[in-house]
Amino acid sequence: MRITKIFIALLFLSSWNQVKAQVKQLMLSRVNEMADIPQPLKIIDWKLMAQNFDKTIYDFNAKGKYWPMVWMDDTRKNFDQPVMGIYTAVGDVRQGQQNNKGMFHEALANMGAVMGAGLIGIDKSKQNGKNYVAMLKNYFNRDTKWNIMMNNTAPEVALLGGGYGRDWWYDVYPNVLFYAICEQYPDEKDFDWIAKSIAEKFYKADSILKGDYNYSYFDYAQMKPMKNQICAQADAAAGHAWVLYAAYKKFGDKRYLEGAISAMTALESNKINPTYELLMPFGAYLAARMNVEQETKFDVHKLMGWTFDGTAVCREGWGVLTGKWNGYDISGVVGSTVDHGGYGFLMNTFDAAWPLVPTVRYNTAYANAIGKWMLNAVNASRFFYPQYMPADRQTIPDAIAVTKGVIAYEGFAKVSTFDTLYTDKKGPVAQGDGPKWVPGKNPDVSQFSVYGSGHVGIFGAIVEKTNIEGILKLDVLATDFYKDKAYPTYLIYNPYNQAKTINYKVKAKNKVDLYNAVAQKFIAKNVSATAKLEIDKVNSVLIVEVPAGSKLTNSNSKLLANGIVIDYQKK
């Protein structure tokens, strides 16, 4: 009898606490090149960084040279209201209330900061007596009849930035950002009809393009695809598709679903990687999501490869960096893999996490790959911040005080891209392109990127440390916009070559059963606050916090608990 009880107890522990993957994991070649445990290893508190950014930047009374970083633009473009301006880079001579009538500011900075703050729970619609959310309407270019969100409030404003022509991703991405903000603030006045206008424009544009997105940009006023000196950006199809699918989920109009499928089909039909800037990850995410929600058959692995690989038709080498530079693992950051030996960018790295982390919810086969990539990316991203990079590895360490601990360099390179300066620096060299934008006028401090730093809320919402350094708890729902109802879900990857046990903290207030979508089984029952969770070596778990005692059902290869999907690939 005693032996039987011991056997039953061991069987119980084995079936509930041992985590061994059943979903076959698919690897990505670039991720395979990354360090298992990057060195030097240090995971900073990204939520705290995001909180500090918000309270420091949005201070109209901030003291210090080049401060404050925000001002009010009263030119009232598109809507009869003032809009807050935020610097693109520290000391940017094009910007501020005293320059160009205060009207040069970018949606990438403004929208990114608003969205990022919302992701960590800061309500930007009523902060210190101002509605920063409503102010974003000024980027809706209705005066020009484009009737979409754009990076500036008007074409003449864009020219103040020394622009070199229409650049398609700059026109598409503000609409991706806006749709995310629309979900965060569904009751904001005018947002619904603006979102509808954007969807109509994108749907009609896709109908006109007829599967060929190989253009420099699209004129949304004339409704014509255009070419200029900027090479073709076929990955704009991924941005179109993401907006249209979000519009379908928001409005229920099946035309938008048809447009999203059409744009994704156009994206996938490219024979060579068409990656240009930061839209391809949204295509990989949509492929995984639409395959399980709409029964499409998009090639997720192809689009994942295009996202990471660093080979492209137009921008050779644009992808995810890997390697160790002079003792520093820099793998995981996004940028050029060839420019000056490699040049990674802060904003691109933050923004890649937005679609890629929730991708594992819809295709669990990428849990290990995304878990490993995120560990490397999260670790290396601290090197953009001057307080975390040794002085001899950054271009202007003497100016660190101007950042107030919340503004990072725009990027870092293996060899400084300032070919005649900083030649004594050993890579990685933290720097920025600010001084190149307006040659001879921008001060060196414009290497500090306000616009990129403003997207820190993406990491702040997704990344949480556990009790073991190097094992991250990633919230896969944080940036899964316009999702169906879901229970709290977390990706946790163990990079160590031995099993590790973490203290798992439950988000739900009531008792839950912990379901591991990688192993496709429940691993703990009736958990109320914390649980000891063992993760096998070099492996991941995708934990879904299912209300204890839920009714389980199966439907079309999906496992549901109380009618809510907890596993999209249950065999």
Side-chain angles (χ1 to χ4, degrees):
M1 179 66 72
R2 179 178 174 81
I3 293 175
T4 302
K5 288 182 177 179
I6 292 174
F7 174 78
I8 292 173
L10 289 173
L11 182 63
F12 177 88
L13 289 172
S14 175
S15 63
W16 278 15
N17 292 329
Q18 294 297 316
V19 181
K20 295 183 183 294
Q22 292 179 9
V23 174
K24 182 181 179 181
Q25 293 299 291
L26 298 174
M27 294 308 297
L28 301 169
S29 59
R30 294 294 286 180
V31 177
N32 287 344
E33 297 173 12
M34 299 177 188
D36 292 332
I37 304 173
Q39 299 296 326
L41 178 64
K42 181 180 177 63
I43 306 300
I44 68 172
D45 188 333
W46 288 101
K47 184 174 183 179
L48 179 61
M49 179 66 79
Q51 291 168 335
N52 288 339
F53 177 89
D54 186 80
K55 71 180 181 182
T56 305
I57 295 297
Y58 284 84
D59 180 359
F60 286 84
N61 299 310
K63 305 299 181 186
K65 191 175 183 180
Y66 304 115
W67 290 80
M69 291 292 160
V70 291
W71 72 93
M72 293 305 297
D73 166 14
D74 199 37
T75 55
R76 299 173 181 261
K77 298 286 184 179
N78 300 304
F79 282 85
D80 187 17
Q81 64 174 12
V83 58
M84 188 202 77
I86 184 171
Y87 275 84
T88 296
V90 173
D92 194 323
V93 297
R94 305 167 297 178
Q95 298 178 316
Q97 201 160 38
Q98 306 306 315
N99 297 311
N100 296 312
K101 299 180 181 178
M103 62 182 180
F104 179 55
H105 41 84
E106 299 190 64
L108 291 184
N110 221 334
M111 288 186 181
V114 168
M115 182 193 73
L119 287 174
I120 61 168
I122 297 173
D123 187 346
K124 300 296 287 184
S125 69
K126 46 185 177 183
Q127 187 181 48
N128 301 324
K130 291 183 172 63
N131 186 342
Y132 297 109
V133 179
M135 294 178 188
L136 299 177
K137 292 187 296 188
N138 291 62
Y139 293 107
F140 181 71
N141 278 226
R142 62 178 178 176
D143 292 348
T144 62
K145 309 302 182 186
W146 278 53
N147 290 325
I148 64 170
M149 288 287 173
M150 299 180 73
N151 194 40
N152 306 105
T153 56
E156 65 268 26
V157 177
L159 293 175
L160 299 174
Y164 55 100
R166 290 252 58 87
D167 197 347
W168 204 352
W169 83 273
Y170 272 116
D171 295 333
V172 171
Y173 199 51
N175 297 280
V176 175
L177 288 164
F178 177 73
Y179 255 84
I181 294 166
C182 269
E183 192 193 43
Q184 292 175 323
Y185 300 93
D187 299 323
E188 190 61 50
K189 182 183 177 183
D190 297 319
F191 271 24
D192 270 7
W193 71 258
I194 290 174
K196 190 80 171 176
S197 172
I198 293 166
E200 286 295 314
K201 285 285 187 176
F202 278 24
Y203 174 76
K204 291 174 183 176
D206 179 79
S207 301
I208 291 166
L209 289 161
K210 295 180 180 179
D212 182 7
Y213 277 74
N214 286 284
Y215 293 91
S216 303
Y217 72 100
F218 193 91
D219 186 319
Y220 295 89
Q222 300 184 65
M223 298 305 292
K224 291 172 55 179
M226 309 291 284
K227 291 186 177 181
N228 57 23
Q229 72 275 21
I230 301 172
C231 60
Q233 299 179 34
D235 62 342
H240 265 206
W242 190 93
V243 168
L244 286 168
Y245 196 66
Y248 165 67
K249 301 295 283 190
K250 179 177 176 63
F251 297 111
D253 190 328
K254 289 190 175 180
R255 292 181 306 132
Y256 301 150
L257 173 60
E258 294 166 1
I261 293 173
S262 172
M264 283 294 295
T265 302
L267 177 69
E268 191 178 85
S269 70
N270 286 278
K271 303 301 182 185
I272 305 175
N273 185 355
T275 293
Y276 182 79
E277 184 72 26
L278 49 66
L279 293 171
M280 188 60 73
F282 291 90
Y285 158 82
L286 271 184
R289 181 173 175 179
M290 293 173 71
N291 282 355
V292 297
E293 289 190 343
Q294 306 301 331
E295 299 184 356
T296 54
K297 297 187 183 299
F298 293 118
D299 190 339
V300 180
H301 204 66
K302 178 180 181 179
L303 300 181
M304 277 287 196
W306 282 354
T307 294
F308 281 83
D309 284 350
T311 57
V313 175
C314 172
R315 303 183 86 178
E316 180 190 0
W318 200 264
V320 178
L321 279 65
T322 63
K324 184 185 285 286
W325 297 347
N326 296 311
Y328 287 76
D329 279 311
I330 55 79
S331 293
V333 299
V334 179
S336 172
T337 62
V338 297
D339 186 10
H340 287 72
Y343 192 0
F345 292 94
L346 177 66
M347 189 190 81
N348 297 68
T349 306
F350 284 154
D351 289 23
W354 164 356
L356 289 177
V357 172
T359 297
V360 302
R361 187 166 170 251
Y362 303 104
N363 193 324
T364 321
Y366 292 98
N368 284 359
I370 296 303
K372 181 178 180 179
W373 165 65
M374 276 296 286
L375 170 60
N376 278 271
V378 167
N379 182 69
S381 290
R382 78 180 190 277
F383 297 139
F384 293 109
Y385 290 83
Q387 66 268 40
Y388 295 112
M389 181 67 97
D392 62 351
R393 294 178 185 270
Q394 52 183 298
T395 52
I396 47 174
D398 293 341
I400 185 173
V402 77
T403 70
K404 297 191 177 184
V406 299
I407 304 175
Y409 283 96
E410 184 185 14
F412 60 67
K414 189 171 186 179
V415 179
S416 176
T417 63
F418 294 96
D419 294 320
T420 59
L421 298 172
Y422 315 118
T423 56
D424 60 326
K425 304 290 183 181
K426 293 177 64 176
V429 182
Q431 63 156 74
D433 285 343
K436 298 180 179 179
W437 299 337
V438 186
K441 292 184 179 181
N442 276 30
D444 278 353
V445 291
S446 61
Q447 294 182 67
F448 293 129
S449 170
V450 186
Y451 82 96
S453 302
H455 294 228
V456 66
I458 296 172
F459 270 20
I462 292 174
V463 180
E464 182 181 342
K465 297 173 65 173
T466 67
N467 58 301
I468 298 179
E469 187 75 352
I471 298 184
L472 307 178
K473 182 182 181 184
L474 305 177
D475 187 341
V476 303
L477 300 186
T479 54
D480 192 11
F481 292 101
Y482 297 96
K483 61 183 172 291
D484 293 334
K485 288 183 178 180
Y487 299 121
T489 308
Y490 298 93
L491 171 64
I492 307 169
Y493 173 71
N494 173 19
Y496 294 95
N497 200 30
Q498 60 190 41
K500 294 287 185 179
T501 299
I502 66 164
N503 297 327
Y504 180 87
K505 298 178 181 178
V506 175
K507 179 179 181 180
K509 295 180 180 179
N510 299 318
K511 286 186 177 182
V512 297
D513 299 335
L514 300 182
Y515 180 79
N516 176 15
V518 174
Q520 297 193 312
K521 65 182 180 181
F522 285 92
I523 59 173
K525 296 266 186 174
N526 294 311
V527 178
S528 58
T530 60
K532 295 289 185 181
L533 182 62
E534 183 177 326
I535 309 174
D536 203 7
K537 64 181 182 180
V538 195
N539 210 345
S540 58
V541 296
L542 184 63
I543 300 298
V544 185
E545 297 181 8
V546 181
S550 293
K551 180 182 179 181
L552 302 180
T553 55
N554 287 279
S555 176
N556 297 326
S557 298
K558 300 179 182 68
L559 178 64
L560 299 87
N562 299 334
I564 296 174
V565 177
I566 62 173
D567 190 336
Y568 283 93
Q569 299 169 303
K570 184 68 174 176
K571 293 182 172 61

